[in-house]
Amino acid sequence: MDINGIVVSPDPRLRQECAEIEEIDANIERLAEQMKRQMFDNGGCGLAAPQVGELIQLVVIDTEYTSEKDYDPYVLINPRIVEQSDTLVPSKEGCLSIPGINVEIKRPDRIVVEAYDLNGDLLRYEASGDLMCVCLQHEIDHLHGVTMFERLAPSDRMSAMRDYQEALARGAKPGQTE
């Protein structure tokens, strides 16, 4: 099911491993631009290709914008976490594909990600203890068929799924949290 152009849980596309991008062409560039627009229109700070129904390893992220004037997302192609700390910290997370709820997830507090940009250049992103650190991990999870539900302990997962069903029944849309 899609809401506002965003694939929402429990759509099976959100649970699939995404293919690596082998060539950066006009179709990939168009999809990246479309994803930037959809992320902004839905008030997100990150969006992965499976969230718009494309099962490829493409992510857009902008955790610092305050308006359309300063909106300039990073585009990450085939991103990989190459380093991460052993220290896990809790953080409240929401997801455009699971509207209406936030859940607490423990993730490494420092990561290093390598990814290609639209020019085919390999870049390194380092993030520590901030929203960018959480967002990178969350979006890369999407590329491997992992939603925030799978990051929860079984009892917390059941509670979050109940909350999500209630939020959907109330008409929750992407970008809305509890």
Side-chain angles (χ1 to χ4, degrees):
M1 175 169 84
D2 294 12
I3 300 176
N4 294 345
I6 303 294
V7 174
V8 295
S9 185
D11 191 298
R13 293 174 287 186
L14 296 174
R15 299 292 314 276
Q16 294 189 26
E17 182 73 25
C18 293
E20 284 192 10
I21 294 172
E22 296 190 19
E23 180 182 358
I24 301 167
D25 59 16
N27 290 328
I28 297 299
E29 292 171 357
R30 272 193 298 278
L31 178 59
E33 288 305 312
Q34 171 195 335
M35 288 172 61
K36 288 179 187 180
R37 174 59 36 209
Q38 286 175 291
M39 185 174 80
F40 183 82
D41 289 348
N42 286 287
C45 61
L47 187 66
Q51 294 180 272
V52 296
E54 298 293 333
L55 299 178
I56 58 173
Q57 293 190 16
L58 177 64
V59 167
V60 295
I61 292 178
D62 187 339
T63 61
E64 298 178 351
Y65 73 95
T66 57
S67 71
E68 195 160 10
K69 290 179 185 174
D70 65 349
Y71 184 65
D72 187 24
Y74 296 105
V75 175
L76 287 74
I77 296 169
N78 301 333
R80 297 275 176 270
I81 297 173
V82 295
E83 292 178 33
Q84 65 184 29
S85 71
D86 293 330
T87 304
L88 302 180
V89 294
S91 179
K92 282 281 195 179
E93 293 185 28
C95 181
L96 292 176
S97 291
I98 306 173
I101 67 167
N102 286 317
V103 297
E104 186 172 277
I105 297 175
K106 291 182 181 178
R107 295 188 184 271
D109 69 345
R110 180 187 168 281
I111 62 166
V112 176
V113 171
E114 290 183 349
Y116 294 94
D117 66 11
L118 286 171
N119 296 320
D121 296 325
L122 182 63
L123 303 175
R124 277 175 81 91
Y125 301 87
E126 294 187 41
S128 178
D130 60 7
L131 180 58
M132 182 68 161
C133 185
V134 172
C135 192
L136 282 165
Q137 294 174 77
H138 180 106
E139 299 310 327
I140 291 171
D141 271 356
H142 274 300
L143 302 180
H144 301 289
V146 177
T147 70
M148 55 188 200
F149 288 135
E150 285 78 42
R151 291 286 178 196
L152 298 171
S155 61
D156 293 335
R157 182 180 308 139
M158 294 305 296
S159 177
M161 292 176 97
R162 269 192 307 276
D163 292 346
Y164 174 55
Q165 291 302 317
E166 291 171 6
L168 283 180
R170 289 191 308 270
K173 304 258 185 289
Q176 294 176 335
T177 57
E178 50 189 2

